[in-house]
Amino acid sequence: MENLRSTVIMKTDLAGFTDRVTKSSHRDLSELLGKHDKIISDVVERHAGTIIKGEGDSFWVTFPSVSTASLAAKEMQRDLQHAQVGSSDEDRLAIRIAITVGDVLHQEGDIFGDSVNLTARIESITPPGEIYLSHAASLTVNKAEVSVDYLNEFDLKGFSQRERIYRINQEDEIRLFDNRVML
């Protein structure tokens, strides 16, 4: 069934995963991807999101609102950090996350359109551990729940005009995990 509707899109990507593939055993990679998949799927479920598809070390996810997607993204970042407590710096991975909103064609369990392409382009410029938003997403996020900073305008492949990009502030907070404190 085909239909066009306004959709909040998130793309995640494990930064540094390609380098990790060449240095790790198949078993270690399988365990790493299993932990990553669990973190993402658990957070998505808690925030009423829908995983459209996984692509190895990345996911395409839709959410009911930009605020919900933003809060989920912050939680994904924190949960991945928690999962790596005690790991050496060289073993740590980080997620790059991009969020957009716009008209999207939903067809046969997949999504298509300019907003989908924009999400992929924004994710490609997002540094590890960061969450970037499109201009449209920044306009609709609830600023009382999510702090957003304007970054700059970027030239993105496939787009004729420069795109205004924003970053979600990930304020420090204290969290207690299994008798550990993390700041």
Side-chain angles (χ1 to χ4, degrees), residues 2-179:
E2 297 178 31
N3 70 40
L4 184 68
R5 62 182 183 264
S6 185
T7 305
V8 176
I9 307 162
M10 172 193 286
K11 184 172 187 301
T12 70
D13 180 64
L14 270 177
F17 184 75
T18 302
D19 289 339
R20 189 71 165 266
V21 168
T22 61
K23 299 174 186 173
S24 300
S25 70
H26 293 296
R27 181 174 177 246
D28 290 344
L29 289 175
S30 179
E31 285 179 20
L32 175 67
L33 285 174
K35 288 178 186 177
H36 172 251
D37 292 357
K38 180 151 179 46
I39 288 169
I40 300 297
S41 60
D42 287 353
V43 172
V44 167
E45 184 178 330
R46 282 194 297 273
H47 290 273
T50 302
I51 295 176
I52 300 300
K53 62 183 169 184
E55 298 175 330
D57 65 327
S58 65
F59 286 92
W60 288 92
V61 185
T62 60
F63 286 92
S65 74
V66 173
S67 296
T68 303
S70 299
L71 293 171
K74 289 174 66 170
E75 192 172 324
M76 287 172 189
Q77 296 288 19
R78 287 190 304 257
D79 288 358
L80 181 64
Q81 288 174 356
H82 170 254
Q84 298 182 94
V85 168
S87 297
S88 68
D89 287 344
E90 64 191 35
D91 288 336
R92 288 181 187 263
L93 293 175
I95 304 173
R96 301 184 307 196
I97 301 174
I99 300 169
T100 64
V101 62
D103 285 350
V104 173
L105 176 64
H106 292 253
Q107 181 176 323
E108 298 178 12
D110 208 346
I111 52 177
F112 304 93
D114 284 343
S115 294
V116 176
N117 296 336
L118 179 59
T119 309
R121 298 300 183 228
I122 293 172
E123 180 270 317
S124 73
I125 64 166
T126 303
E130 295 287 343
I131 307 162
Y132 280 11
L133 300 172
S134 67
H135 179 66
S138 76
L139 294 173
T140 61
V141 72
N142 182 338
K143 306 292 190 298
E145 292 184 285
V146 180
S147 175
V148 176
D149 296 320
Y150 171 71
L151 285 177
N152 208 339
E153 291 186 356
F154 291 83
D155 290 317
L156 300 175
K157 182 180 172 185
F159 291 86
S160 59
Q161 296 182 347
R162 294 173 60 84
E163 296 291 331
R164 293 177 61 120
I165 306 297
Y166 297 77
R167 181 180 62 83
I168 291 179
N169 250 333
Q170 298 180 69
E171 304 85 22
D172 290 335
E173 64 182 53
I174 296 174
R175 295 184 68 195
L176 183 62
F177 298 101
D178 302 326
N179 298 319

